[in-house]
Structures are given as C-alpha cells and as structure tokens.
Amino acid sequence: MNKIYKITASVMITCLIFTGCVEKKTEYLQTSTRNKPVAYGIGVVPQSLTASKNRDTKSNEILRTLFSGLVYEDDSSMEIEPGLAEKWEVSKDKMQYTFHIRNNAMWSDGEKITAQDFYDFFREILSPQTDNIYAYDLRYIYGEEAYNSGKVSFDQVAINVIDNSTLRIRLNSPCDYFLRILSEPQFFLREINKSTSNWKKDYLKIKYTGPFKISYISQGTITIKKNNYYFMKDKVKSNELKLKFYNDEENVSAYSVTDFDSNNIDIFSNPPLTEINRLKKSNHIKSFSTLNIYALYFNMKKIADSNFRNAISLLTSRTEIAKDMPKESISPIYNFIPSSLKENYIMTNTFEESAPSEGVEILKKSKYENDDKFVIAYEENDFNRKLCESYINSINKNIRSVDKSEKINFELKGYNKNNLYEVLKNGDYDMFFGEYNISFSNPMSFLEMFSSKSPFNLNKYSSTTYDDLMYGLINSNNLAKNNEYCYKMIKQLTVDLPVIPICTKNNVICMSPLVTELRENPYGDIIISSIK
C-alpha cells in the first residue's frame, strides 16, 4: 500500500457518544436600538417542510426554528437534552427506549401534544409515499426498513403508544447513538399533510412545536413570531424576526450582499469572495468552523483505474489550495473524518500533504492518456467554482514540478442543485466536487455514507468488504470489536479511494452591529432562535 495511506493507530469510533468537542459559538457585537426586527438573509428555503430528498443546511435551520423533537442536541455542549420528552428510560439490553412526553408540551394552538401525535408523525415520515431520504437513519428501529420499503404496515414497526404521555421504541440491535439520530431536525414533530408540503401558501394552517411560528409570508420575506406555547419560550431571544429568501439559488450571495448594504437584512452567510475583504475591514465578518467537508468524488464506473485515483490523491496539495482561498473559508483536512471528533477515535493523518514525484510516477503507470479529458461537476456558485479551479491548478502545478510536459485535462461543469442531483443520479460525470457532512454528531454518520445501501452515497461506491464490515459493526456490542471493524473500514476506503477529502468548510457569517447575539452549531446551521 502507498505510504500516503498508512494508518498508524487504531480507530476508536462508532457508538461512543460525541461530547465536548465544540466550543460555545456566541458572538457579542456592538448594540444599537431600532424599531424593526432583525432580518436574516437565509437564502434558498426548502420547497416542502414534509421531508427532505437531500442534506440541506437551510432546511435544517427552518425545521429547528419551527419544530421540536423528543430530544435535541445542545448547540454549545453537544449534549443530548430533553425536548418534548422530559425524560426517557433505556432497557438493560439497550434496545428499548421509553419516552415520557412533558406536561407542558403543546402545539402552537395550545392543544396538548400526546404520544399518539408522535406515532402518527413517524408513520407518515417513514412511509414509502413520503420519499424521505432521512428514513434511512431510523433503520435501527425494528420493522422500519420493511415498512419504508412497502413490505409491511406500520403496526409491524416497533413504535408503540403506551398511554397519552408515553411512547416506546424498540430497536433491532443496540445503538448507543440512537438519541443522536432522534435529535436530527428532520425528526422534529410536525403534522405531515398538504400544509407542510405547501407551507409558503398554507403557513397559517400549520401547527408548530418549536420556538417560532410563521405569521406572514410576502415578497420573499417570512415573518416569524415567538411561539408562546413552546416549552422553552423563555430562552428564545427575539419576539419577532424576518427571514429573507431568494428563488435564484445561483445568485444568492450577490442578492444577499446587496440587501445587506441596503440595510434590508442584518445577517447572511457566505458572502461573495470578492466582497469578503471589504466586509472584513468593516468588522462585519465572523467565521465559524463546521464538520462539513469538501471532497473530490470519483465516478467509480468511469474511473475504475485505481492507479489514476491514487495519483490524483498524491498530487493533491491541500495547503496550496487553502492559500488560494480566503483564509476564513476553509481549513485543510487529512482524514476522512474531522479531527473535531478526535475524542471518539485515535488516528494519525490518513493522507500526507502531497508527493508530486510519486504521484507522477503512478500517473504514468495508469491508463491515463494525454488527450483524455475529465469532467468535474459541482454546484454552481462563485465559491465552489473558485475552489475547483484552485484544486485543478494545484494538481497540474505539482505535475509540472516533476515533468513540465505533463498535465491532466479537466473540464469544470457547474449545475444548480436540482440539475446536479440528476447528473449524479445518472452518472453523467467523471468526478464530482462537493460536500459531505454528518446529520448527527457521531463518526458513524460519516462511515455510513459509504455503505452501498446508503441514499447519501453520492457516487454509488460499492464494496462487499466494506458492507460486510458495516453489517458486523452495526450488530456488534463489543467495543474492542467495534474498533477493529472501524479500522478495517477506514483502511478499505483508503485503498479504494472513492472520495478524497480536501478541506473542512468554515461558515463565513456577515452581521450588522445591530445584531447583539448569534450562535451556530457544528453542522453549519445558524440557530435562528438565538438571534438578538
């Protein structure tokens, strides 16, 4: 195996609960008074509040703002806290969870929330008709996979109402991070109906369970007001906020900075690259680290040559790429899993900085021909385009440092989100530059992405060895054995290289001095209820 891929220590990962890895991210700015509520330029909002077909930060922000779940994850400590369930018990075999709904859990109309409400919610959100990509995360529940695939009715799923205030869920096997999964905003309680599917029109018909409720939507602006029936209403910082959204997703950054300069919004994320220095000089820029990773994916059917994939990895200079980008925007990464989760495993760098001589040598051993062209697909925006260009330049710079006559011909193709989804689905690309991120704060959320069954497996990587290891890991309740499984899974990814991690994404936030408080969680979600 190439020296770049040495793994020198065991992986201690999986079902340990991730805690204490993220510092509190509250920023205090100069205060000022005004008559109108703070306006957040949220960008593109989801078409539906029913279910998601992909991982989307803005969808999560909206769901966290309007709804609550059985439990939630504190954005500072990352501890699991009681949500609409005030307490729960776990059976000795760690396969049964009994949740007790709190007495003051109410819908936004004042009606009491019951265990039956959660039963109805899970029945709809896991239904095959709902087409919810996140249903995969709940496959640990007994009967869920069979129900989600249409093989059985919901009464065969081990989610049961014991009484009005008690809900019981039984799993297939122990899963120490099950509460982490339930803390995903996709599993926050809401009625699944036409109103949540058509929320921009029917927002007044929706019953909310979270910090805010929608009071008005007009001309690209959502007005939200504090939900006085929310069980933690005293922790909500503002009585009213405005959320500005745009329908042209490719030009969100340009629209946002224009609205910011015109005082139409007070907060927005990821300004245009050309504007960062100006905004930084005005003390408007704050940067938050996230667990999201930019990576190069290979279409394994089109680029089956492992020598070529290894050569690309060896020619990747993460430091050079980072130097070419605004320093607030990215940080190099040399592992598949962010070092922020280091308390859950021990591992030295999987990847080295770069090895041009070795990379060129392996490239010449590959099936690559000088006239070959490789299409790199990406989601179109100025940041992604710049990052892709920097990546290509670094590859060819390293090649020319060894052999001036050599280079790789790349072609960049940018797509909007929906078109890119179709391109990836149909395999109409050679490589794809994009993000992978976690949906719950445990490294297993990363490892599961590469299972052949996972809907989050963007490039359809398939390895029988990896799948067998994943099956053994999920059904194991032995820590030492779990470590062994995880070590072998990381090793398999290192050998196969379906994806090359490049850098972690830092969320660049632009804020007016009128904003006195703002928090963001490690997933890159702005906590809207914290805005003041």
Side-chain angles (χ1 to χ4, degrees):
M1 186 184 304
N2 211 304
K3 68 177 183 179
I4 194 172
Y5 305 126
K6 292 186 298 182
I7 300 177
T8 62
S10 69
V11 180
M12 296 175 61
I13 186 177
T14 56
C15 303
L16 297 177
I17 296 177
F18 166 47
T19 60
C21 295
V22 183
E23 296 180 357
K24 187 173 181 179
K25 299 183 176 189
T26 304
E27 298 287 347
Y28 295 93
L29 289 83
Q30 174 186 350
T31 61
S32 179
T33 58
R34 67 172 184 179
N35 295 323
K36 64 179 182 178
V38 171
Y40 167 36
I42 194 170
V44 178
V45 293
Q47 294 297 314
S48 169
L49 297 181
T50 294
S52 294
K53 294 185 178 180
N54 51 52
R55 296 193 171 183
D56 182 356
T57 294
K58 299 308 176 184
S59 293
N60 285 344
E61 287 183 1
I62 290 286
L63 292 175
R64 290 182 196 278
T65 302
L66 303 178
F67 305 104
S68 297
L70 287 166
V71 296
Y72 73 95
E73 191 175 62
D74 183 88
D75 56 271
S76 295
S77 68
M78 304 306 291
E79 296 282 357
I80 295 296
E81 300 289 349
L84 294 174
E86 64 180 350
K87 61 181 180 179
W88 57 88
E89 295 97 36
V90 183
S91 62
K92 289 184 179 180
D93 62 4
K94 297 184 179 181
M95 292 173 60
Q96 185 166 282
Y97 290 73
T98 303
F99 297 93
H100 301 275
I101 311 302
R102 61 176 68 243
N103 289 330
N104 61 339
M106 297 184 181
W107 296 94
S108 55
D109 62 358
E111 183 181 350
K112 190 173 182 350
I113 292 172
T114 67
Q116 184 66 42
D117 292 325
F118 277 100
Y119 180 91
D120 295 340
F121 166 70
F122 284 118
R123 182 188 62 216
E124 298 303 319
I125 204 71
L126 299 177
S127 168
Q129 282 72 42
T130 302
D131 191 23
N132 177 23
I133 193 171
Y134 281 87
Y136 177 78
D137 286 347
L138 288 183
R139 68 194 183 283
Y140 300 97
I141 299 175
Y142 180 86
E144 187 278 337
E145 281 190 287
Y147 173 68
N148 186 246
S149 60
K151 296 177 182 177
V152 301
S153 60
F154 190 67
D155 59 10
Q156 299 299 305
V157 180
I159 299 178
N160 301 109
V161 175
I162 306 305
D163 56 43
N164 280 346
S165 299
T166 311
L167 185 77
R168 182 166 293 160
I169 300 176
R170 186 160 183 83
L171 310 183
N172 296 300
S173 58
C175 177
D176 288 344
Y177 50 93
F178 181 63
L179 292 176
R180 298 275 173 194
I181 296 173
L182 288 182
S183 73
E184 295 178 45
Q186 297 292 333
F187 303 127
F188 285 7
L189 179 64
R190 56 200 183 275
E191 292 183 328
I192 304 301
N193 52 32
K194 292 181 179 179
S195 296
T196 50
S197 296
N198 194 25
W199 66 281
K200 290 179 188 175
K201 179 181 178 182
D202 295 338
Y203 57 90
L204 291 177
K205 298 178 182 178
I206 297 174
K207 294 165 65 175
Y208 302 94
T209 58
F212 287 94
K213 58 182 181 180
I214 300 175
S215 63
Y216 191 61
I217 298 180
S218 178
Q219 298 179 338
T221 300
I222 304 168
T223 300
I224 58 175
K225 292 188 176 182
K226 182 189 290 190
N227 175 11
N228 289 322
Y229 288 103
Y230 177 52
F231 71 97
M232 289 195 300
K233 64 180 180 181
D234 293 340
K235 293 187 177 183
V236 179
K237 300 297 183 179
S238 298
N239 290 321
E240 182 178 344
L241 294 170
K242 302 283 187 180
L243 308 179
K244 177 72 174 177
F245 65 93
Y246 310 97
N247 294 318
D248 182 0
E249 62 183 89
E250 292 183 21
N251 295 300
V252 165
S253 293
Y255 292 141
S256 296
V257 77
T258 298
D259 275 337
F260 185 80
D261 287 339
S262 302
N263 295 318
N264 292 323
I265 60 175
D266 305 296
I267 310 164
F268 72 99
S269 60
N270 300 316
L273 295 180
T274 55
E275 298 289 340
I276 288 180
N277 285 335
R278 175 179 71 86
L279 293 166
K280 186 164 60 174
K281 288 178 182 178
S282 302
N283 295 319
H284 290 316
I285 292 292
K286 298 291 176 182
S287 181
F288 297 92
S289 61
T290 77
L291 297 174
N292 301 338
I293 293 177
Y294 282 111
L296 182 74
Y297 290 83
F298 294 101
N299 184 331
M300 300 296 280
K301 290 185 178 180
K302 288 189 176 183
I303 305 182
D305 184 355
S306 61
N307 278 332
F308 182 80
R309 298 196 302 274
N310 285 334
I312 292 294
S313 181
L314 287 161
L315 292 164
T316 297
S317 176
R318 293 160 179 82
T319 300
E320 287 296 320
I321 296 167
K323 286 180 181 178
D324 202 33
M325 300 294 293
K327 70 176 183 178
E328 295 88 357
S329 61
I330 64 172
S331 300
I333 187 170
Y334 299 91
N335 298 314
F336 289 105
I337 301 170
S339 58
S340 305
L341 303 186
K342 64 186 177 183
E343 291 189 9
N344 282 348
Y345 68 101
I346 300 172
M347 188 174 77
T348 57
N349 287 343
T350 306
F351 300 91
E352 295 178 7
E353 171 50 32
S354 65
S357 297
E358 195 173 353
V360 171
E361 181 182 343
I362 293 178
L363 182 64
K364 291 179 178 179
K365 293 179 181 178
S366 73
K367 297 177 182 179
Y368 168 71
E369 301 289 343
N370 287 337
D371 57 350
D372 288 344
K373 181 181 287 187
F374 299 94
V375 174
I376 300 181
Y378 69 96
E379 184 178 341
E380 179 60 61
N381 60 53
D382 71 329
F383 182 87
N384 287 349
R385 184 167 57 253
K386 173 66 174 175
L387 190 56
C388 287
E389 290 171 350
S390 297
Y391 184 76
I392 289 172
N393 291 338
S394 74
I395 292 287
N396 283 324
K397 180 180 178 180
N398 275 337
I399 292 175
R400 288 192 297 271
S401 72
V402 178
D403 187 340
K404 293 183 178 180
S405 65
E406 290 287 336
K407 75 169 189 175
I408 298 177
N409 298 310
F410 295 103
E411 179 183 353
L412 291 177
K413 284 192 176 182
Y415 301 89
N416 66 37
K417 185 175 294 184
N418 290 332
N419 289 341
L420 179 60
Y421 175 80
E422 291 301 317
V423 167
L424 297 180
K425 180 180 177 182
N426 297 327
D428 297 332
Y429 68 100
D430 298 310
M431 305 174 203
F432 158 62
F433 206 98
E435 292 181 62
Y436 67 79
N437 47 45
I438 63 175
S439 52
F440 55 92
S441 61
N442 187 286
M444 271 295 288
S445 185
F446 282 90
L447 291 176
E448 288 178 335
M449 292 179 196
F450 302 106
S451 166
S452 61
K453 294 181 179 180
S454 172
F456 305 111
N457 187 341
L458 296 178
N459 60 343
K460 305 297 186 292
Y461 165 67
S462 180
S463 165
T464 302
T465 301
Y466 191 90
D467 287 346
D468 288 345
L469 290 168
M470 177 63 74
Y471 179 83
L473 177 58
I474 290 174
N475 290 281
S476 169
N477 197 28
N478 180 283
L479 180 58
K481 194 68 176 176
N482 291 348
N483 294 338
E484 181 183 348
Y485 280 127
C486 293
Y487 174 87
K488 291 180 178 180
M489 290 166 70
I490 292 289
K491 184 177 180 180
Q492 191 66 42
L493 288 177
T494 304
V495 172
D496 292 343
L497 276 183
V499 61
I500 301 173
I502 308 299
C503 56
T504 55
K505 176 184 178 182
N506 298 328
N507 210 15
V508 179
I509 306 296
C510 190
M511 293 186 288
S512 159
L514 295 172
V515 181
T516 62
E517 188 173 343
L518 174 68
R519 296 200 308 271
E520 182 182 273
N521 66 22
Y523 310 108
D525 304 341
I526 287 178
I527 308 301
I528 294 175
S529 61
S530 76
I531 296 174
K532 183 178 179 182

